[in-house]
Amino acid sequence: MSGVWAGAAAPGWLTAGLAGAAFAGAAWAVRGRSSQVFGPSLWRGNPLQPRVALTFDDGPSPATERILDLLQEFSARATFFQIGQAALGSPALARRVSAEGHEIGNHTLSHAALYAKTPAGVYGEVSGAQRVLQEIHGGAPRWFRAPYGCRWFGLRDALRDHGLTGVMWSCLGLDWKRPARAVAARVIAHAGNGSIICLHDGRAGQPGADCRVTVEALRLILPALRQRQLELVTLSEVFR
Ligand SMILES: [Zn+2]
């Protein structure tokens, strides 16, 4: 046995450092936007095309209607990561999203934190949402986004069996905690060729969620991106 600390306890700073590194590595595996540890995952689109993908998580909710109206006004397409139970609760509203040409993604059945689930529980969250969304929209989603961006054991099998690819983001809008002007400024500053922007048309499935910030931010974001001649497209198009 060789090594500097063979036969002796490693110094406290070293064990703490290693534990810290292991924790940082595990945290990256779970939440890192380019991590493939729990299945295939994308976080940006084609950098050669002036196209941006706006994505909205956690809907449908009453805010979805106002967001759809705004997108229509600007001839913009987007992708909505719907929660299975929220879509079941408002199937007509959920369906309006796909009927207007937007893409639908899977955001689990109940917006569960996957790291609190067993592998079978993770699998059930994905397969349950996939079944509900396929029934409502008449087609199966291709994209999956994990609640809170946290992937976990069981996800790789669930993605493979349902033909899903994980999608993270190049810019988080932080629309659940910042004022509308700050959200808009952040998104406009980060938007460029192939960007994937994460916003919300619900709040983790809470009924009556207040998404006014997202709607107000969108009123600023849409004209600004149009002025920069960035086309607003679905995820399928931004990866092309
Ligand atoms: Zn979410």
Side-chain angles (χ1 to χ4, degrees):
M1 190 172 173
S2 64
V4 180
W5 288 288
W13 60 264
L14 179 66
T15 45
L18 288 175
F23 179 77
W28 175 83
V30 172
R31 296 210 63 204
R33 65 185 178 182
S34 59
S35 165
Q36 311 284 322
V37 173
F38 296 104
S41 183
L42 303 169
W43 63 275
R44 63 178 165 187
N46 184 347
L48 302 177
Q49 297 290 338
R51 294 183 187 143
V52 169
L54 294 179
T55 65
F56 297 91
D57 295 1
D58 294 12
S61 84
T64 307
E65 301 217 61
R66 286 181 292 157
I67 290 170
L68 288 173
D69 293 344
L70 273 172
L71 293 175
Q72 201 167 50
E73 191 182 322
F74 284 84
S75 306
R77 292 281 177 275
T79 301
F80 289 74
F81 284 92
Q82 294 185 339
I83 300 171
Q85 287 176 351
L88 263 183
S90 307
L93 177 54
R95 207 173 288 120
R96 182 185 158 194
V97 179
S98 54
E100 294 190 6
H102 305 292
E103 200 160 28
I104 303 298
N106 179 326
H107 200 43
T108 73
L109 187 60
S110 73
H111 205 271
L114 298 184
Y115 53 81
K117 294 267 175 191
T118 62
V122 168
Y123 195 99
E125 280 284 337
V126 176
S127 62
Q130 195 76 349
R131 197 169 48 241
V132 164
L133 296 173
Q134 179 159 14
E135 179 130 344
I136 288 176
H137 298 287
R142 297 172 60 189
W143 314 116
F144 172 82
R145 180 170 284 155
Y148 316 105
C150 293
R151 284 71 55 89
W152 202 243
F153 301 94
L155 185 58
R156 178 177 287 279
D157 288 350
L159 297 184
R160 183 199 57 222
D161 291 356
H162 297 92
L164 288 162
T165 299
V167 181
M168 298 287 273
W169 47 76
S170 56
C171 174
L172 259 184
L174 304 181
D175 50 340
W176 66 93
K177 64 176 182 182
R178 300 239 174 119
R181 285 197 166 276
V183 171
R186 182 181 165 85
V187 168
I188 292 163
H190 283 87
N193 288 5
S195 295
I196 298 175
I197 313 287
C198 177
L199 294 166
H200 294 79
D201 66 325
R203 292 284 179 272
Q206 295 162 20
D210 183 352
C211 296
R212 274 176 296 183
V213 163
T214 310
V215 175
E216 282 168 35
L218 209 51
R219 278 188 220 287
L220 301 170
I221 292 166
L222 291 172
L225 299 192
R226 181 157 77 180
Q227 196 174 18
R228 285 170 52 193
Q229 304 197 326
L230 288 165
E231 194 186 356
L232 295 167
V233 300
T234 61
L235 282 174
S236 291
E237 288 167 305
V238 88
F239 293 132
R240 211 171 278 157

